[in-house]
Amino acid sequence: MRNLLFFCVVLTLFSFGKKEIGNTIKVNNQEELKSAVKNAVAGDEIILANGVWKDVQIKFYGKGTKDAPIVLRAETSGKVTIEGVSDLKIGGTYLEVRGLYFKNGYTPSNSVIDFRIDSKTIANNCKVLDCVIEDFTQLNRNKEDHWIEFWGRHNQLDHCSVTGKSNSGPTILVALKGNEHINNYHQITNNHFGPRPRKGGPHGETLQIGDSNTSMAPSYTNVANNLFERCDGEVEIISNKSNNNEYRNNIFYKCEGSLVLRHGNYCTIDGNIFIGDDNSEFMGGIRVINTGHLIINNYFYKIKGKEFRSALAVMNGVPKSPQNRYNQVTDAVVAYNTFVDCKTPWQFSVGANMDKSDVLPAQEIRSARPDRMIVANNIIFNHQGDEFPIKAYDKVDGVLFKNNFINSVNKSDVKSDGLKTQNLAMTKLSDWLYIPTVDQKELYAGFEFENIKKDVFSNSRAAANGTGAIVLPVDKSKGTINKKAYGAHWFSDEAVKETSKTIRVASENELTEALDKATSGTVIELKKGIYKIAASLTIDKKITIKSKDQKKRATVEYSGQANTPTFLMGAGGNLTLENIILKGEKNQHAFATKEKEMFSAYNLKVKNTEISDFDGVLNAYKDSFADTISIDNSVIKNCKRGLKLADENDDLGEYNAEFVYITNSKFENVQSNILDYYRGGYDESTIGGNLVFHNNTVANCGKEEKSGILIKTQGIVNVAISKNNFLNNPIKYIAVLWGEKNQQPKENTITNSGEFKTEQNLKQKMMY
């Protein structure tokens, strides 16, 4: 009897153990997957068979337990690709998704991965692990979605790689609409974000936690140990819009934007590394708005952004601000941070705009200065002395400076006993990491500073504390970024090296055939002669077309239908046209974009080329976007108009090109404007467009231009027009410049060609 009882107990325990282990169900198609999900119980593992799963809308639901989650995973991580019009929605408790690869498609809903199925079926204690979303972007760049939406509570995104979003909307959105979604304690950890290309308009954040309507709600989201690489979508890499979030030990590598405390209070930014370089003035650090933030132990290297993108940007607020605008900075602490080779790293009262009351409504006037703010125990170090490390756009009487050290004379307007010049020494540990030779022991013991117990590398401050983000000693390995530690273990975003191949052609048939067969990076060389092209040549990859002999340029004559282009720029197209004579028949375009499906940026470079007899040189349609357009050492003549980059006319902050460089070239007999480059809407979340018009000759142009403006740059933020010769152009204005943005013509020669006009404050349509 005793033996029988023992056997029953063992059998019972064995049965419970088996249930916890669960079943393994392999599925090969959507119907099998639906059935497996419907019948899954705690501990079950559903395995998607390797291969392409196309046009699938997966609903993964169930009730797992902490010890026995329900798992949905790839048979082999990375070998299950979710393609076409597809998405994944998760609803339930203790569910895990692993190893899926989203590519070659886009979501039919608001998100690619959603931590809810509907408003009643939300995810709690669920995880997405070791997954990849790559270039899973909408066909129209202005169609908004989010690649990952967090709802519910205690959900996690860990060791995932997310890259290539080029359409509108934050890559990741944490939603707080409803009590069941606040106090959520989500974990966003160990991921690799980026690159995210420049978008050419707002709503290009990589991560947004909350929104304006829920900005006073507590979220407690933790963003830690992630790598943000070249996240260039807009000025806000991270847009914090809720309370009590933490940003710890992340690396921001060459990102043209900042970690922005846009709304919400009481956030902690601790132990992050911001790495810039000499090649961009748009890489930023931390921007501070609102109340009670703690900014400690952060390291900044070569952050050279200005104003909104400076290494530390502390904003002015709007008195009695509406919920969606800018609250005053109060009770914030900035302590134990290090700034190395940053250009004017501290900028206070950024956005102060009291002088624009005649063009802006009251809710946009930022006059509330930072108050009850402490800036203490920080280091500013520059190898080449920066005598103006601090810039203030208003008084800084609400900021208390204590024991901050600078290694150059401070000639800024902001001076204090708490800003001390000292002969600091730094030791180079890597290309971007400089550490103090000795710890600077003179410290300010502020309120609760004793709770700052570790430095940027999590070394204890107990034994040997010092100013700045770093205390000694430092392990040499800290100067190396191990990309394998972030994102999906099986995925690499390293670009495959293009093999440059040269194809030589001697006829139009050979040219079109070569273009059809070309791979990205191909160079097509044209022998001297005339190439008669009757239909547009589509450019949807990286292609160079040039004459074989620079002194014997080939001629391309385009005879296609009216309003069609010789070269049709598609999504991702990258064309270099060099040493070519390009002719039209007066009613076509030399270049134009596709009218639809311009989901990623194109690039156009024209060099040593003559373009004549076209209706327009470049016609960029709405929703198209060029990262860079460059015209150098070329001639444009006998055309009706020049470059049209003005179809984003909804005044929502969008524009058609990020960088436009026109240099060393000649415009002759262009009937209307030579450039129409437009950005509308009062928006500060983007670079805002960039024009360099340098060392050109413009003669006999603009006689049919109705606006009377030869170079139209309405709303473009960065405009430089210098050392040009304007001769006999029958127009009223060469350009109307934006004084607030310091746009000034320099060293231009003007003969019978109108004048430059400057408008100090540009009146624009409000977007919000």
Side-chain angles (χ1 to χ4, degrees), residues 600-613:
S600 62
Y602 68 97
N603 292 278
L604 175 62
K605 181 178 181 181
V606 178
K607 187 176 182 180
N608 299 326
T609 289
E610 181 182 298
I611 300 172
S612 64
D613 300 310

Side-chain angles (χ1 to χ4, degrees), residues 54-90:
K54 188 172 183 180
D55 298 334
V56 293
Q57 291 185 263
I58 301 172
K59 293 182 179 179
F60 179 36
Y61 55 91
K63 294 183 178 180
T65 68
K66 183 177 181 180
D67 296 326
I70 302 173
V71 176
L72 174 67
R73 70 169 178 87
E75 180 180 5
T76 305
S77 292
K79 298 297 184 181
V80 172
T81 61
I82 312 297
E83 304 186 21
V85 183
S86 300
D87 61 9
L88 166 65
K89 297 184 182 298
I90 304 167

Side-chain angles (χ1 to χ4, degrees), residues 489-515:
H489 77 279
W490 50 268
F491 178 75
S492 173
D493 67 341
E494 297 297 328
V496 178
K497 188 175 181 180
E498 295 175 345
T499 302
S500 181
K501 180 181 179 181
T502 300
I503 303 174
R504 294 183 174 88
V505 301
S507 69
E508 48 266 29
N509 290 336
E510 290 180 0
L511 171 58
T512 54
E513 184 178 345
L515 194 57

Side-chain angles (χ1 to χ4, degrees), residues 48 92 130 141 143 150 184 188 238 283 371 408 462 545 556 578-579 581 641 750:
L48 298 180
D130 204 32
R141 76 181 181 99
K143 183 175 181 180
F150 277 85
N184 55 65
I188 301 173
I238 295 178
M283 296 175 186
D371 196 19
S408 58
I545 299 175
V556 175
E578 188 173 353
N579 297 319
I581 298 173
R641 55 185 173 81
I750 303 172

Side-chain angles (χ1 to χ4, degrees), residues 591-607:
F591 310 94
T593 66
K594 286 186 174 181
E595 293 187 56
K596 297 180 180 180
E597 299 187 0
M598 290 298 291
F599 51 87
S600 62
Y602 68 97
N603 292 278
L604 175 62
K605 181 178 181 181
V606 178
K607 187 176 182 180

